[in-house]
Amino acid sequence: MMAQLIDGKAVAARVRAEVKAEVDRLKAERGLTPGLAVVRVGEDPASQVYVGGKKKAAAEVGFNSWEHHRDASITQDELLALVRQLNDDPAVHGILVQLPLPRHIDADVIISAVKPEKDADGFHPMNAGNLLLGRPATRACTPYGIMRLLEEIGCDPAGKRAVVVGRSNIVGKPMALMLLQKNATVTIAHSKSDVRREVEGADIVVVAVGVKELVKGEWIKPGAVVIDVGMNRLPDGKLVGDVEFAKAAERASYITPVPGGVGPMTIAMLMRNTLEAAERGVK
């Protein structure tokens, strides 16, 4: 058996095309253009790359977009004032605060200051709480994108055993909840878990820990679906995931490559979240 690759680039392109069609309709029928505001603090190189990708995607789907770049010396109160300004701007439907923030700024305070209805990332406590309760909510982009990838390959989580390796608020916890909503039997594994034992019995494996090739290929149950969220750079510059890809691909039915798997979906679902925020705002 050799796993089929899950082409995140192709699926993300389809999502962006769907969003663009809806944006074109909103413009034609209501004269409304969705607006996405991105707040970036400091000069983190990865953040610059991510924000650049988000701006490019926003332009592609026809959004208005703005980058509010502030020096790393900005105070927490000054950043809060910027967020409140964007909260009050009717042209802004989605707000994204790029992480990480400088150490002197409490990211939880800033994220909580964003209006829940403008929270494009799905990180606000109200959105996280609504997800937990099974209520409508803006969903965290990466796990939301993973659910779309599973849908694209015809993988229905219902009745399957799903293992999520990693318990972050950004990926692991919301991922587990989304799989649970689709009636999977879900286990969250973490640094205190016997990860091998948990993974070996899983029909769906999602790994998001940021440790290169933590999950070994021999652990993968034959026929399992493997979703690798990790992206780790080796000394020679090569990017690898959190899963030992080559050996895992010999056992899995489907697997995401790194890069080109989950990454493109995160930005695509950010566009989807912003569109949905704009649509809610005009109802």
Side-chain angles (χ1 to χ4, degrees):
M1 181 190 298
M2 181 58 70
Q4 294 187 52
L5 292 184
I6 304 174
D7 189 343
K9 288 183 179 179
V11 179
R14 282 198 285 278
V15 172
R16 293 194 304 272
E18 293 165 5
V19 171
K20 186 179 187 307
E22 284 294 298
V23 170
D24 290 345
R25 182 187 61 79
L26 278 178
K27 289 179 178 178
E29 294 180 2
R30 306 191 187 189
L32 174 68
T33 301
L36 173 64
V38 179
V39 177
R40 180 168 66 89
V41 179
E43 303 299 337
D44 180 75
S47 292
Q48 292 182 41
V49 172
Y50 294 148
V51 169
K54 291 163 185 174
K55 290 168 64 178
K56 180 180 178 182
E60 179 184 337
V61 300
F63 287 175
N64 290 326
S65 68
W66 306 270
E67 179 183 0
H68 296 269
H69 179 218
R70 296 295 186 268
D71 190 81
S73 63
I74 191 172
T75 68
Q76 182 162 298
D77 285 344
E78 289 170 336
L79 189 55
L80 283 170
L82 172 59
V83 169
R84 292 177 184 129
Q85 174 188 328
L86 297 173
N87 281 339
D88 293 338
D89 187 342
V92 174
H93 303 97
I95 300 171
L96 181 151
V97 179
Q98 182 65 45
L99 303 177
L101 293 172
R103 290 184 179 181
H104 67 278
I105 294 177
D106 187 332
D108 289 340
V109 170
I110 302 301
I111 290 168
S112 297
V114 175
K115 279 186 176 179
E117 58 268 30
K118 291 192 176 188
D119 166 33
D121 260 334
F123 294 165
H124 191 281
M126 184 174 291
N127 286 320
N130 281 332
L131 176 62
L132 175 65
L133 296 172
R135 297 173 180 171
T138 302
R139 299 182 170 219
C141 299
T142 299
Y144 192 15
I146 290 169
M147 295 305 294
R148 175 63 183 264
L149 290 179
L150 293 177
E151 181 182 322
E152 288 280 333
I153 63 171
C155 178
D156 181 359
K160 293 183 171 64
R161 183 169 177 221
V163 170
V164 179
V165 184
R167 53 181 169 181
S168 72
N169 293 331
I170 294 173
V171 181
K173 291 176 186 175
M175 183 79 258
L177 290 169
M178 291 181 204
L179 287 165
L180 188 62
Q181 283 187 350
K182 292 296 184 179
N183 300 310
T185 300
V186 183
T187 299
I188 301 178
H190 46 78
S191 60
K192 303 301 182 184
S193 303
D194 184 339
V195 177
R196 175 173 186 160
R197 184 182 66 186
E198 301 300 340
V199 167
E200 284 180 334
D203 304 303
I204 300 170
V205 181
V206 181
V207 191
V209 289
V211 178
K212 65 182 178 65
E213 299 182 333
L214 171 73
V215 172
K216 305 307 177 187
E218 66 188 38
W219 301 355
I220 301 302
K221 177 182 177 181
V225 173
V226 178
I227 307 292
D228 191 348
V229 184
M231 187 170 291
N232 312 284
R233 192 172 296 278
L234 299 179
D236 63 4
K238 180 183 178 183
L239 290 172
V240 298
D242 291 349
V243 177
E244 191 180 29
F245 177 84
K247 292 185 178 179
E250 294 174 359
R251 298 172 66 85
S253 58
Y254 289 90
I255 190 168
T256 55
V258 176
V262 175
M265 294 300 298
T266 299
I267 294 179
M269 303 319 281
L270 172 68
M271 301 301 114
R272 166 61 63 187
N273 280 347
T274 303
L275 169 66
E276 291 174 357
E279 290 177 325
R280 285 195 300 270
V282 296
K283 286 180 180 178

